Structure formats: C-alpha cells, structure tokens
Amino acid sequence: MSYKSILSRRSLIIVLCSVMASLQLAAQNINSTLELKELKASDDSRIFGIKLTGENESGAIPVFQAKVDFFTTADGKSELLGSASTDRDGSATFKVEKGTRLLKDKEGISMVTASFQGLGKLNSAEANVKFKEINLQINLSEKDSLNTIQLQASTVGPNGESVPLKETTFNIYVQGLFSKLKIGECFVDAGAGTFEFPKNIPGDSNGNLKIFVRLEENEIYGEVEKTGNAKWGNHRSGFVEPSRSLWSSGAPIWMITTLIILLTGVWSHYLYAIVQLIKIRKEGKKIDQE
Amino acid sequence: MESNKRKQELLKEFLPQLEKTSFLWYAWVTFLLGAIFLGVYCLVLQILKGHIITGMRDNVVWGVYIVNFIFFMGISYAGALVSGSMHLFKTSWRGPILRIAELTTIIALFIGPLYILLCIGRLDRLPFLFMYPRIQSPITWDVIAITTDLFGCLIYLYLSFIRDFALLRDSGDTSLPKWRINIYKVLALGYHDTPTQKKRIKNVTNIMSAMIIAIAIIVYSVLAWIFSVTLQPGWHSTIFGPYFVIAAVFSGAGVIIILMRVFRSVYHLEKYITKQHFVGVGMILMVLSMFFAYFTFSEYLTKWYGSKKLDDNLIQILFTQYFWQFLFSNYVGTLLPIIIMGIPRFRTINTITFAAIVAVLALWMNRYLIVVPTLETPYMPIQDTRLEWLLYKATWIEWCLTFGGVGTFCLLFTLAAKFVPIIPVSEVADAELEMSEALAKGQDNHAATITIPAKKQVVLKKEANEL
C-alpha cells in the first residue's frame, strides 16, 4: 500500500469519527435543573420562586420563556394551581393568594410541585416544597419608653384547631438602602415572643423604619415573613447640619461686605469718569455757543 | 499748536482708510458674514433639536463653548491689562498699538459671554440668575464681575476715542458721509482740546487705566475660581487665579501681535507699527510664556507628587490620551516664544508673529485640557459607562459656532477699523511731542551739564526718527 493511500484512509477515518461525534452530541438531550423556593408573605399569600437552568459544557445556562406548572399535591392527589413563564435569568414567581385551597395530608402538611415539561432537547424537570400552615401576627408598640415587637404565632392541629407555636426562633430585620439589615432574633414559645427594638437604628429623613420579622429555612413551616412600619429610627444621629452650603438661605456676612466694598470702589470711579465726561460736554457746549 | 497741526497731518494720512472701501474689503466681510450665518444656522438647529446635537452629555457638561468663553475673556482681559499698563506707565512706544489692544478688549468681551448662552440648555431660565441672585454662588460672582468689567472697558475705550472723534468731526474736507460726521459730532461730546478738557481727559484716563488693570485681574481670577472652588481633580487648585491671569495675558499678547501684523500689512502701517513694537510686545510674550510655564509646571508637579488617586488618573489621561495636545499646549506653545525672542537673530516680525500664532493656539488647547479631561475623570463615577457619555468629542455644530465667534470678532474689528483710525492719532501726536520735548530737554541738559551720555542721545534720536 502506498504512502498516499494510507494518508487518505487515515483522513477519511478522522473525518468519519468527527461527523459521528457531532451527530452524537446533536442527538444528546440537555439536562435541566429546577429550583423551587417558597415564602409566606406579609399579606398571607404564598410566593413560589423558581429558577430553571440547562446544563451544557460551559455550565448552567438560564432557560428563557419556559412554561412551568404549579400543582398542589397530597395523598396521591394533585391539582393544578397555575403556571408561570421564566425570564432571561431563568426565573419566575408564582403567587398563591390568601384563601386559595391547598391540599393537605393527614398531618396537615401541604406540598407544592413545580413541573417543567421539557422543551426541544431540554429534558423535563420537577421540584417540590413541603410546609405546614402557620399564622404569624406582629404588634409594634411603645411601652415605658421602650419600643417592642410582640409576636404571636400558631399552627393548625390535626382537627383544624389553632395550636400555639413552640420553641421557634424568628429573625428581625430592618430595610437598608440596598438590602435588609439583621438586628436581632426573637424566640417564640407557647405562641408568643417579645423583642426589644434597639434605639440606635437610623431611619429615613422622617425616622421611619420598615421592620421585617422572618422565619427562615424552617423544615416544617418553610419561609414566613411579616412586615410593619414604625417611626423608631434615630434619624438625627450622625447627621450634622453643614455650617455653610450653596443652598444656604443667605451668603456669609464677610462675602457680602467684601462685594459691597469692591463694587462701591469700582462703580464710584465709573461715576467719577461719567461726571467728568458730562463736564467736558458742558464746556464743549459753551464753546460751541460762543 | 504744533500738536494740533501734527494731528491734522496724521488724520489726513489715515483718512483714506476710513473713506475708501476696496473689493477685497467687501470680499472679506462677505466671507466673515458667511461664517457668522453658518454659526447662526447651527444655533437655530441647536435650539430646535437641543444639546443632543452637541458632544456634551451628562458627564462632560462643558465642552468647546466654555473653552471659547475662557479664551475670549482671556484675550479681553489681556487687552485691558496691556493697554492699561502701557498708558499708566507711559511706555514710549505705546501709541500705535494702544487702539488694537483696546478694541481687542471690548470686542472679545462682547463675544465671550455669548458662548455661555450657547452652553445653557434652558435659556428661558437665564433671567432667574438676575431675578434671584445668590451671592455665595461663583456664577453670580462672574455675572457681576463681567458686567462691571464691560462697563469699565466701555468707559476706558470711549475716553481713548473722544479726542479722535473730535478730530474726525473737525476734519473738514473729507469724503466721509454727513451721517458719519454727525455721529462723530455726538460722540466727541463737544471736545475742543482746551486745557481744561485735556486735563480732565488725562486724569480720568489715568484713573480708568489703573481701574481696568485691577478689574481685569479680579474678573479673570473670579472666572478661575468658578473652577477652583469645586473639588474636581485638576481644578481644585489655589494657584488657579494667578495661573488664569497669566494665561490670559499670554494669549492676549499673542492676539495683539497677530492683529498688529495684519493691520500693518493691510493698511501699510510699516511707518507706525515698527519692528520695535513687535519686539516690545514679543518681549512681553516671552516673559509671560516663562511665567506660564512656571505655573503649569508647579500645578502638575504638586498634583503628580501628591499621588491622589483622581489626580493620578487625570495626569495619566493627559500623558496618554491627550499626549500630543498636552505636548503642543504646554511645551511647544511656551518654548517657541522663548526661543524666538531669546535669540536676537531670530527676532523678525514674521517669526514673532509665528510664535504669537502658536502661543494663541496652544493657549486655546490649554483651556481645552483644563475643561474636558477633568470632566472625563469625574469625582463621582457615573453609573452608565457608555463611551459616548463618558468621553467628549465636539460636533460640527460646536465647531461652526466656534468659527462663527471668531468670524464675529474679525468682523467687528474690521468694522471698527473702518469707523476710527486703527492708529490713535491724538495719542501718537502727543507721544511725538513728548519725545521731541524729551530730546530737546536732553540736548539742553547736554549743553549745560553734559550729564546725558552720547549713546543715550543716539537712542533718543533714533526713537524720535522711528516715530
């Protein structure tokens, strides 16, 4: 066999292998991943947030405009709650309004499932969250010059009765300029807890603060949030009124005095010059008349 | 009487410049009007479409317009300083160039502030500046300063013109139209060169020449403070006031030399504007270029040595992005006048004019480098970093309005030179008289006491002959 024919055979084999690999890659489906988070918001609605990504060689890529269905599931039964479409980040939120019936098992636990049916070569994906109903109430009050947050929390018993919450820790936040600032924790037992609000937290220009009470990453109740507004901000601390500024109502006395002296000096000379010109004119008129 | 006779002789010599108008003059005026109309067209476009058609954006809010404003105000103050100083210190060779300096002052002072109006986006809010002035605002200082300066310069200019207006009124057999004679009659204010009138004019001119020197320094310092009272890198400097004043007189001296050269050639004034005048103003140019170089070096050295982050950024940009402009503005523009004036054999009228042209262009570029690169390195970073927002590039609209301004300056100068002699007749005649009196006095002293050396007498005679 000649050298040239060996070379051409080898080239053919390489080309064939490349084509087969490409076809295999083209035929391969892409795995998709669905993340699901749940939050019971302050208005007692439940917000479900998802993030859908597809995985290729370069890593996870957000899936845009994919339809994700939400189901309430319990004891083998499943009901469609609704659906949402993902944005450019592969994210979507789905809100379940207060009063919407969610299926529960015998222990009172609800499960919500998010399901992506797949799209083209994207595989289908599913995720679920479980949570038990919880009722949280907060009361912002001022007692004996102390600012306090009173928490009342209960859950639902096997027969639908209200059961006080036991030994659960809630986090307390205030809204900052860009994110929430954690200022402490409140321990709730027998359905009640009290938190003494610190006095050194700056608020907005009027001293207003937005306060968040949150139960986070709880295995039974999931994420729960309650918000309230109070004028407890110590807005004056750290803010020093500037002694002078461009927006001050008046200029400093020294500046006004300097300006008046300068302008008087200059304009009086102008006036003198004009008076001399008038005198020249008068004399000229006299000469003309003569 | 001798003086009056000489004045009439000089007037007769200069009258043809006012009476006759050549085809070239009309062509020149038409060209200038073309440039002005193009500027007006661009102004209309800017008013209709807004400042989006300029290169100015949220980040670089000042561009070529402000550069032109500083430039024209600078040459105006320089004219005031040069003419005021020459008059006050009775410089022997001042006569032929005084009027050029005075006209430069007033014409540039009219044009400079127009660029502020071009820069303002909401012209309808301009009256608020006068209706609700805030004394603590540097902008208000500038408005007060420019207004005061304008009045002062107008009075000073008028004082220097009165005697020539009177001469033109009494010129007799001229082909000047009657309406022009009537205007001269009104403007001459009944001046008849009586001893009292002469004394009054002399006193007031002396006072006003001292005043306009002081005002020019204060006003241009105020303009510098608009920049230096901010915390912007490159602007927040304690030497900005004197630095601006030096730069102003430097550029103004350059413009005066260029105008001297132009009028010398156009009106054949070789007899009056001699090489001595060019060397005299050229020496002023050289000294000022040295001062300017010293201030520039001091300004950038301290900033560079301090190594503050934003100052470092600015210097980095000046030595990279604007390297050639920086080189031209601060090296070529300052070194060339020093070399040409420093080496005697290089001192010809043409080389001095060339140095002046380079200095004027370099000073314009210097103002550009003060305004634009600083705004391109903001104290607070902007959120949107699109290049067209961050960096500045003047559009054709801005260039046309710039040339429109230069055209207006040239046109007003051309018209002024058609209205009054560009050489102040009375001033030159008086200077001649002073010179001959000094010479006669010198000869008397020589005869009596032999105190004046022969060399000095030769110089005095030479000066008298040249005049």
Side-chain angles (χ1 to χ4, degrees), chain A residues 26-46:
Chain A
Q28 210 172 25
N29 278 355
I30 300 168
N31 285 331
S32 55
T33 309
L34 190 63
E35 289 172 28
L36 175 63
K37 284 183 179 173
E38 171 271 343
L39 169 76
K40 185 174 185 186
S42 196
D43 61 352
D44 288 338
S45 65
R46 284 195 182 267

Side-chain angles (χ1 to χ4, degrees), chain B residues 13-22 24-26 28-29 96 99-100 103 180 259-273 410-423:
Chain B
E13 200 176 330
F14 293 119
L15 264 176
Q17 293 168 10
L18 310 185
E19 291 168 341
K20 291 172 189 169
T21 312
S22 65
L24 267 177
W25 188 88
Y26 282 113
W28 170 241
V29 169
R99 184 141 297 158
I100 291 176
L103 284 173
R180 272 180 74 167
L259 289 167
M260 279 162 60
R261 182 74 182 84
V262 170
F263 283 109
R264 187 180 192 264
S265 299
V266 174
Y267 286 153
H268 306 290
L269 300 173
E270 291 83 359
K271 200 174 141 190
Y272 297 97
I273 304 176
C410 295
L411 181 71
L412 290 177
F413 231 106
T414 309
L415 295 177
K418 212 36 116 179
F419 189 67
V420 280
I422 200 70
I423 300 289

Side-chain angles (χ1 to χ4, degrees), chain B residues 1-276:
Chain B
M1 291 305 282
E2 274 292 313
S3 171
N4 282 343
K5 200 180 162 191
R6 179 64 186 141
K7 280 176 193 170
Q8 290 299 334
E9 280 172 12
L10 280 171
L11 188 66
K12 274 189 181 161
E13 200 176 330
F14 293 119
L15 264 176
Q17 293 168 10
L18 310 185
E19 291 168 341
K20 291 172 189 169
T21 312
S22 65
F23 170 75
L24 267 177
W25 188 88
Y26 282 113
W28 170 241
V29 169
T30 310
F31 168 72
L32 294 176
L33 283 172
I36 293 165
F37 281 126
L38 184 63
V40 171
Y41 169 69
C42 292
L43 176 64
V44 173
L45 274 184
Q46 188 178 294
I47 291 168
L48 292 176
K49 296 187 177 178
H51 277 64
I52 193 71
I53 60 170
T54 69
M56 293 181 286
R57 293 292 180 270
D58 285 2
N59 194 39
V60 183
V61 290
W62 284 349
V64 165
Y65 293 154
I66 289 290
V67 175
N68 293 334
F69 166 65
I70 305 169
F71 179 75
F72 276 109
M73 297 311 282
I75 59 173
S76 162
Y77 300 144
L81 274 172
V82 170
S83 65
S85 312
M86 282 183 166
H87 189 91
L88 199 64
F89 301 114
K90 304 203 183 321
T91 314
S92 60
W93 45 272
R94 70 183 184 275
I97 58 169
L98 270 185
R99 184 141 297 158
I100 291 176
E102 286 154 2
L103 284 173
T104 305
T105 305
I106 205 78
I107 294 171
L109 195 54
F110 274 115
I111 295 168
L114 292 178
Y115 281 103
I116 290 288
L117 304 182
L118 298 180
C119 209
I120 297 170
R122 292 286 303 270
L123 274 174
D124 56 307
R125 291 184 181 176
L126 189 67
F128 294 172
L129 199 58
F130 302 94
M131 287 157 67
Y132 316 108
R134 296 176 63 75
I135 301 300
Q136 62 268 52
S137 163
I139 302 289
T140 308
W141 305 346
D142 210 29
V143 170
I144 295 170
I146 290 174
T147 316
T148 307
D149 189 46
L150 187 66
F151 271 94
C153 288
L154 276 173
I155 293 171
Y156 181 68
L157 188 81
Y158 187 55
L159 286 168
S160 72
F161 273 33
I162 282 184
R163 290 188 297 165
D164 281 4
F165 284 146
L167 278 176
L168 286 162
R169 176 198 59 198
D170 303 333
S171 54
D173 53 338
T174 64
S175 60
L176 287 171
K178 206 181 172 187
W179 63 268
R180 272 180 74 167
I181 301 287
N182 284 337
I183 290 175
Y184 293 137
K185 197 178 172 184
V186 173
L187 292 173
L189 276 184
Y191 184 83
H192 287 284
D193 213 15
T194 64
T196 346
Q197 285 181 326
K198 216 171 177 177
K199 197 181 169 190
R200 281 191 205 285
I201 285 279
K202 198 180 171 187
N203 285 343
V204 181
T205 312
N206 282 343
I207 290 169
M208 286 306 294
S209 58
M211 285 304 297
I212 64 161
I213 294 171
I215 295 165
I217 292 171
I218 293 170
V219 173
Y220 213 59
S221 298
V222 167
L223 181 59
W225 293 335
I226 288 182
F227 293 90
S228 63
V229 294
T230 70
L231 295 176
Q232 287 277 13
W235 291 355
H236 191 56
S237 162
T238 53
I239 64 162
F240 243 41
Y243 184 42
F244 263 51
V245 172
I246 290 293
V249 192
F250 184 26
S251 60
V255 170
I256 289 169
I257 291 175
I258 297 167
L259 289 167
M260 279 162 60
R261 182 74 182 84
V262 170
F263 283 109
R264 187 180 192 264
S265 299
V266 174
Y267 286 153
H268 306 290
L269 300 173
E270 291 83 359
K271 200 174 141 190
Y272 297 97
I273 304 176
T274 62
K275 189 184 169 186
Q276 187 203 2

Side-chain angles (χ1 to χ4, degrees), chain A residues 272-282, chain B residues 155 158-159 162 189 200-201 204:
Chain A
Y272 173 74
I274 291 165
V275 168
Q276 292 304 310
L277 285 171
I278 292 168
K279 282 182 178 173
I280 288 170
R281 190 163 175 256
K282 271 185 183 170
Chain B
I155 293 171
Y158 187 55
L159 286 168
I162 282 184
L189 276 184
R200 281 191 205 285
I201 285 279
V204 181

Side-chain angles (χ1 to χ4, degrees), chain A residues 70-73 77-82 101 103:
Chain A
F70 293 86
F71 299 92
T72 170
T73 313
K77 288 181 188 171
S78 186
E79 285 177 15
L80 180 67
L81 287 168
R101 196 177 74 91
L103 298 176

